[in-house]
Amino acid sequence: MPETLSPREVFHRLLERIGAGRYAELAELYAEDAVVETVFEPVGPRRFEGRAVVAARFAQLSAGSPVDLTPVNVVVRETDDPEVVVAEWDYEVHHRATGRSFEAANIQVLRVRDGLIVSSRDFHDHLALVVAGGRLPELVQALEAH
C-alpha cells in the first residue's frame, strides 16, 4: 500500500510538477470532488469543481501557456488544522513569446485529505502574466464587456 503524503509533501509535489511543466500529472494530486478557487483571476471562471474539471483546466493551461515557471522563495506554513497548509512563493517567469522575465507572487491555501487536495484557494498574480504577455488591452476590453 503506498504511503499517504502529508499536505506539505503534496504541495511540494504540485509545485515540482508545475515547475517542470508536467501539467498532465497535476490532476492526480486532486480528490475526485476537489474544489479549486483562483481568487484573483481577472476574467473567466474563478471556481473549478471536480478532478475532471481541474484536469481540463490544467490541459488548457499546458496547451496554451507561453511561460516557463520556476518556483523560488518557497515557504510552507502548517496551521492548527492538520489538513491545511499555507504556501507562499514566487515564480521566476520567462515569457517565451515576448522574451520578458519577471517574478510573480503566489499564495495558496491547500486542504489535503488522505494525500489528495480537496480544496485549494489560489492567490496568483494573474495581472503580471497578462502584462508580460502584452494582453492588457485585451483584458481591459473583456472587463468592460462584463
Side-chain angles (χ1 to χ4, degrees):
M1 180 172 205
E3 181 182 350
T4 300
L5 298 176
S6 72
R8 179 183 292 271
E9 291 167 327
V10 170
F11 170 76
H12 282 293
R13 190 158 292 175
L14 178 72
L15 202 57
E16 173 187 295
R17 291 176 185 185
I18 291 170
R22 295 168 34 202
Y23 295 98
E25 299 173 26
L26 296 176
E28 68 191 37
L29 298 173
Y30 289 80
E32 201 62 43
D33 60 349
V35 174
V36 175
E37 295 173 280
T38 54
V39 178
F40 292 150
E41 179 69 44
V43 176
R46 291 183 179 153
R47 184 177 172 95
F48 304 90
E49 295 185 35
R51 181 188 293 149
V53 173
V54 170
R57 173 75 172 150
F58 286 135
Q60 178 186 34
L61 291 173
S62 177
S65 178
V67 296
D68 297 315
L69 304 172
T70 304
V72 296
N73 308 320
V74 179
V75 177
V76 181
R77 291 176 169 53
E78 311 229 346
T79 70
D80 60 352
D81 183 332
E83 293 185 338
V84 176
V85 292
V86 177
E88 300 175 64
W89 75 100
D90 298 310
Y91 279 128
E92 288 181 349
V93 182
H94 174 72
H95 198 287
R96 293 186 302 276
T98 66
R100 293 180 180 148
S101 293
F102 57 97
E103 280 193 4
N106 305 273
I107 296 175
Q108 193 167 41
V109 181
L110 285 181
R111 177 174 295 279
V112 176
R113 187 173 299 133
D114 299 325
L116 295 173
I117 299 166
V118 294
S119 69
S120 179
R121 287 185 49 87
D122 305 349
F123 301 85
H124 305 301
D125 189 352
H126 294 281
L127 187 56
L129 297 171
V130 169
V131 170
R135 295 184 12 244
L136 190 56
E138 178 184 323
L139 174 62
V140 170
Q141 286 179 339
L143 289 171
E144 288 173 347
H146 282 93

